[in-house]
Amino acid sequence: MGSYILRRLLLIFPTLFGILLLNFALVQVAPGGPVEQIIAQVQGFGGNSLSRVTGESSDFMATENRGEVTQGVTSQYAGAQGLDPQFIKDLEKQFGFDKPPAERFWLMMKNFLKFDLGKSYFKGRPVTELIFEKLPVSITLGLWSTLFAYLISIPLGIRKAVRDGSSFDVWTSGAVIVGYAVPAFLFAIFLIVLFAGGTFFKVFPLRGLVSDNFDELSTLGQVGDYLWHMTLPVLAMTISGFASLTLLTKNSFLSEVSKNYVLTAQAKGCTEKRVLYGHIFRNAMLIIVAGMPAAFISMLFTGALLIEVVFSLDGLGLLGFEAAMSRDYPVMFGTLYLFTLLSLVLHLIGDITYTLVDPRIDFEKRGG
């Protein structure tokens, strides 16, 4: 097992490199970068995003707005006609675009190895500081959703396996299919319309993690307020996340029912509960336990993004969404780097968990 873990750890580096390289290459050809955005703001097309720009860029724009422009200047940036070439060069230097793409990527990778993720273009703060500030919200949302998804899916999947083909199995399969097919953010919108004052009832808050008067509440009141705000986001993610896990649980139990050790236990006169929980349960739960890290990753890094946007939860999903919209590249690549690294590590932990649950599994004999 030791050599398998070592190989998997060594594979993390080329995997990270490939993912970051691919995304870096895509960003180079994507329009609407930070330089273009500031040029648009100087030319009067920037909308309300002007306040996000750093002080240095604001000074540049103030200079340009005083009329110090040069007419007829051509530039690689759309909308830059008429602007002072030095202004464009200063912008490129500020954002690091005065260097060739290969050099920028190399510098980024060197800094990432030291966990120096740079500074946000538009927030003026270190990316690491921003991530650790938002991380608790996303982790909490992912943990609660994963916990409830397992608490619902495992008993339901076992029940469906025991009553395979019955009316209970049929109508619950319909609910599972709906949960599998409908994205989490659509459930979130439905819950808002139904329970957050959209059209029908106003039972739960529409946005935010806590109320405005949270600091004034007692400890018990703060706990209740937090749970009140988390109910709809967690419910939306749980509904969309439990479907595949339920089917996995059912199929895992059904695959064990026809095996010889089950038939032997039944022949010895063991009760149905004894056979189910004393013999089948451990073997059937292997794939479910091993998939727990992957389920958490899916909840945290996929489902949580749009849920945080819909409910205005100040977590990593909302941070990443805002970074993508504003082309805040340090935040984009910093979060991508940490997400990918965490995902690879959790998948390795899942494999190790597999061997702990069932020592018969040996990844080294299977060729890793």
Side-chain angles (χ1 to χ4, degrees):
M1 188 63 183
S3 60
Y4 170 77
I5 294 175
L6 180 61
R7 289 198 303 270
R8 287 289 299 271
L9 289 174
L10 292 176
L11 280 174
I12 288 177
F13 298 101
T15 305
L16 274 174
F17 181 85
I19 292 174
L20 290 171
L21 178 61
L22 177 61
N23 283 273
F24 186 86
L26 291 174
V27 163
Q28 304 312 303
V29 298
V35 175
E36 287 94 332
Q37 290 194 36
I38 294 184
I39 288 173
Q41 292 165 4
V42 171
Q43 300 285 38
F45 303 108
N48 296 325
S49 59
L50 182 60
S51 59
R52 294 197 309 265
V53 183
T54 61
E56 186 177 355
S57 298
S58 299
D59 292 340
F60 288 150
M61 286 184 283
T63 301
E64 294 306 318
N65 289 331
R66 287 196 301 265
E68 299 176 12
V69 297
T70 303
Q71 299 296 330
V73 175
T74 59
S75 173
Q76 60 176 317
Y77 302 108
Q81 290 78 9
L83 296 180
D84 187 350
Q86 185 59 42
F87 170 68
I88 303 298
K89 291 180 180 179
D90 289 339
L91 279 180
E92 291 178 334
K93 183 177 180 180
Q94 177 189 351
F95 293 115
F97 296 156
D98 56 331
K99 301 180 180 66
E103 183 179 353
R104 297 204 309 271
F105 181 75
W106 171 247
L107 291 174
M108 183 182 75
M109 293 303 298
K110 284 177 60 178
N111 291 331
F112 279 6
L113 289 176
K114 298 180 292 184
F115 283 92
D116 178 7
L117 306 183
K119 182 179 289 187
S120 169
Y121 287 158
F122 301 120
K123 296 180 183 294
R125 296 172 59 190
V127 175
T128 307
E129 181 181 314
L130 289 171
I131 290 176
F132 280 103
E133 181 182 296
K134 314 295 184 183
L135 191 59
V137 175
S138 297
I139 288 183
T140 302
L141 186 59
L143 285 175
W144 279 115
S145 303
T146 305
L147 174 63
F148 282 111
Y150 269 80
L151 289 176
I152 295 172
S153 301
I154 293 176
L156 179 60
I158 294 174
R159 188 66 175 172
K160 286 173 64 64
V162 171
R163 303 183 61 179
D164 184 40
S166 66
S167 57
F168 173 83
D169 181 43
V170 172
W171 72 261
T172 53
S173 294
V176 168
I177 291 172
V178 171
Y180 188 81
V182 180
F185 76 93
L186 285 183
F187 275 120
I189 295 173
F190 170 76
L191 292 173
I192 287 174
V193 171
L194 189 60
F195 295 115
T199 302
F200 298 94
F201 309 102
K202 187 172 179 56
V203 180
F204 297 99
L206 179 60
R207 59 174 60 89
L209 191 62
V210 294
S211 300
D212 294 335
N213 64 337
F214 182 79
D215 294 332
E216 302 172 5
L217 300 175
S218 63
T219 302
L220 187 61
Q222 290 179 343
V223 172
D225 184 74
Y226 168 77
L227 295 176
W228 183 48
H229 281 77
M230 289 292 288
T231 299
L232 292 188
V234 170
L235 182 59
M237 290 183 61
T238 301
I239 289 174
S240 63
F242 89 103
S244 58
L245 188 57
T246 299
L247 294 178
L248 180 64
T249 304
K250 176 188 174 182
N251 293 332
S252 180
F253 272 79
L254 286 178
S255 67
E256 296 291 327
V257 167
S258 59
K259 291 186 176 180
N260 290 333
Y261 73 91
V262 177
L263 299 177
T264 301
Q266 291 173 339
K268 289 182 177 180
C270 293
T271 63
E272 180 181 350
K273 182 177 293 186
R274 172 73 176 174
V275 173
L276 182 62
Y277 294 103
H279 298 275
I280 298 176
F281 186 81
R282 178 179 178 182
N283 294 325
M285 288 297 293
L286 281 175
I287 191 171
I288 300 167
V289 171
M292 191 174 295
F296 176 71
I297 292 170
S298 177
M299 289 285 191
L300 182 59
F301 301 142
T302 306
L305 193 153
L306 287 177
I307 294 297
E308 289 180 11
V309 174
V310 170
F311 288 99
S312 300
L313 301 176
D314 196 16
L316 288 177
L318 187 59
L319 177 67
F321 176 79
E322 292 176 347
M325 295 299 293
S326 63
R327 303 297 196 274
D328 197 341
Y329 295 148
V331 176
M332 289 172 57
F333 285 110
T335 53
L336 175 65
Y337 172 73
L338 288 183
F339 287 175
T340 306
L341 179 61
L342 184 59
S343 173
L344 294 171
V345 170
L346 287 177
H347 276 102
L348 176 58
I349 292 175
D351 289 345
I352 296 173
T353 305
Y354 233 131
T355 61
L356 292 176
V357 174
D358 189 351
R360 296 171 299 175
I361 298 175
D362 191 340
F363 287 104
E364 293 184 3
K365 291 183 179 179
R366 299 179 178 215

